[in-house]
């Protein structure tokens, strides 16, 4: 099921021309809807529960992706990821924290929304620098591009992001840039790091995210994943209904213009 995105385009104008209305509404179902932002469960309706496990898969345009953790290095998911609320005051310590402001979003547009994915906490805490890797598993319609966000890379953290085909052969990899220690300037404290794979030579079977090294920190926060496109937040792409609506609007507008011209001419003839 296609998820509702944080940045879905809502209708801003109800024009009298049917085509114009169609034009505005059809953008809300465009390319941005491919974004999985974890603001809802995979049903696209239900709001997550804080600290609850994500146990189901998301399907977007026929491509199904499952999120979780691999604890034995075989690229299979054997531990669930957990939902984390940005709005509670509980310091879980397994995503990221800023004193009294857990999981702070420092973007100007609240890009992170209300929810993110993290490793499970408590006695089952899995650390991507020590005991587990984060895995995105693909099934269904094939994809050769993908993009997503890691949040709050600071304290000297460096991550490896690898794309594998269905046989477990690596087809592309990314290493995040060196980050200074602490949470000061030149870090991504409270900010996202966008990664992307574009038009890979083979279909993606899985994506693995691992911690490479760190000075401190170690919390893991994942958000805004696009399973099939290399841009986390693509510009809306007009759909067939949009194009039809535009043509209808233009045709209707032209008809009104001709009728107005005829009326003006009739007035002059009188």
């Amino acid at each position: 099921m296609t998820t509702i995105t944080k940045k879905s385009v809502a209708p801003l104008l109800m024009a009298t021309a049917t085509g114009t209305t169609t034009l505005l509404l059809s953008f809300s179902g465009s390319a941005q809807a491919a974004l999985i932002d974890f603001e809802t469960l995979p049903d696209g309706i239900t709001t997550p529960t804080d600290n609850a496990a994500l146990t189901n898969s998301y399907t977007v345009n026929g491509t199904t992706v499952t999120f979780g953790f691999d604890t034995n290095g075989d690229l299979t998911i054997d531990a669930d990821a957990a939902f984390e609320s940005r709005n509670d005051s509980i310091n879980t310590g397994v995503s990221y924290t800023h004193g009294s402001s857990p999981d702070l979003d420092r973007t100007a547009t609240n890009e992170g929304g209300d929810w993110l994915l993290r490793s499970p906490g408590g006695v089952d805490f899995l650390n991507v620098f020590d005991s587990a890797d984060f895995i995105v598993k693909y099934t269904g319609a094939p994809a050769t591009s993908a993009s997503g966000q890691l949040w709050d890379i600071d304290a000297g953290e460096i991550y490896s992001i690898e794309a594998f085909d269905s046989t477990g052969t690596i087809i592309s990899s990314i290493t995040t840039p060196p980050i200074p220690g602490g949470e000061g300037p030149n870090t991504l404290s409270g900010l996202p790091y966008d990664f992307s794979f574009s038009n890979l030579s083979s279909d993606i079977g899985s994506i693995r995210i691992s911690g490479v090294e760190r000075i401190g920190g170690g919390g893991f926060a994942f958000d805004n994943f696009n399973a099939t496109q290399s841009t986390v937040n693509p510009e809306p792409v007009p759909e067939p209904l949009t194009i039809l609506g535009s043509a209808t609007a233009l045709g209707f507008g032209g008809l009104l213009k001709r009728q107005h011209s005829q009326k003006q001419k009739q007035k002059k003839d009188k």
Side-chain angles (χ1 to χ4, degrees):
M1 180 173 291
T2 301
T3 60
I4 301 171
T5 73
K6 299 181 181 79
K7 297 185 178 180
S8 295
V9 179
L12 300 178
L13 175 66
M14 288 298 290
T16 55
T18 303
T20 304
T21 304
T22 305
L23 173 66
L24 293 170
L25 290 176
S26 61
F27 273 107
S28 65
S30 62
Q32 281 193 336
L35 186 70
I36 299 172
D37 57 20
F38 307 109
E39 298 299 290
T40 65
L41 298 183
D43 63 9
I45 301 172
T46 308
T47 300
T49 299
D50 195 24
N51 303 318
L54 170 58
T55 57
N56 295 318
S57 304
Y58 288 83
T59 299
V60 178
N61 299 327
T63 301
T64 297
V65 285
T66 307
F67 303 92
F69 289 86
D70 171 21
T71 61
N72 57 12
D74 63 356
L75 286 178
T76 60
I77 294 173
D78 42 47
D80 296 324
F83 285 102
E84 174 72 8
S85 171
R86 295 179 185 271
N87 296 321
D88 66 5
S89 59
I90 300 172
N91 185 335
T92 60
V94 291
S95 48
Y96 64 93
T97 58
H98 297 275
S100 61
S101 301
D103 312 315
L104 180 68
D105 183 345
R106 288 179 169 168
T107 63
T109 57
N110 189 35
E111 193 170 333
D114 295 329
W115 298 91
L116 56 84
L117 279 191
R118 61 166 175 82
S119 53
V123 295
D124 297 322
F125 173 54
L126 298 177
N127 191 308
V128 294
F129 288 92
D130 299 321
S131 56
D133 301 314
F134 182 72
I135 300 291
V136 183
K137 201 73 174 180
Y138 276 69
T139 56
T144 58
S145 299
S147 53
Q149 292 179 337
L150 298 181
W151 277 73
D152 194 61
I153 302 180
D154 53 20
E157 295 169 329
I158 297 178
Y159 292 87
S160 170
I161 307 165
E162 301 166 297
F164 297 83
D165 66 15
S166 60
T167 69
T169 301
I170 188 167
I171 50 180
S172 188
S173 64
I174 299 166
T175 301
T176 61
I179 295 290
E183 299 179 352
N186 302 317
T187 73
L188 292 174
S189 178
L191 295 170
Y193 171 83
D194 288 12
F195 68 86
S196 67
F197 297 104
S198 180
N199 298 318
L200 299 180
S201 58
S202 300
D203 296 337
I204 301 172
S206 59
I207 293 174
R208 179 173 68 189
I209 302 177
S210 310
V212 176
E213 62 180 79
R214 59 175 174 155
I215 297 172
F220 179 80
F222 182 85
D223 205 355
N224 293 332
F225 183 71
N226 193 318
T228 61
Q229 295 174 297
S230 58
T231 304
V232 173
N233 289 309
E235 290 299 318
V237 175
E239 297 177 349
L241 283 177
T242 301
I243 298 170
L244 177 62
S246 298
T248 304
L250 290 172
F252 187 65
L255 175 62
L256 290 177
K257 185 176 181 179
R258 287 194 298 273
Q259 290 176 344
H260 178 73
S261 297
Q262 289 174 355
K263 288 181 180 179
Q264 291 298 105
K265 184 178 179 181
Q266 290 172 357
K267 287 183 180 180
K268 289 182 180 180
D269 292 341
K270 292 179 180 180

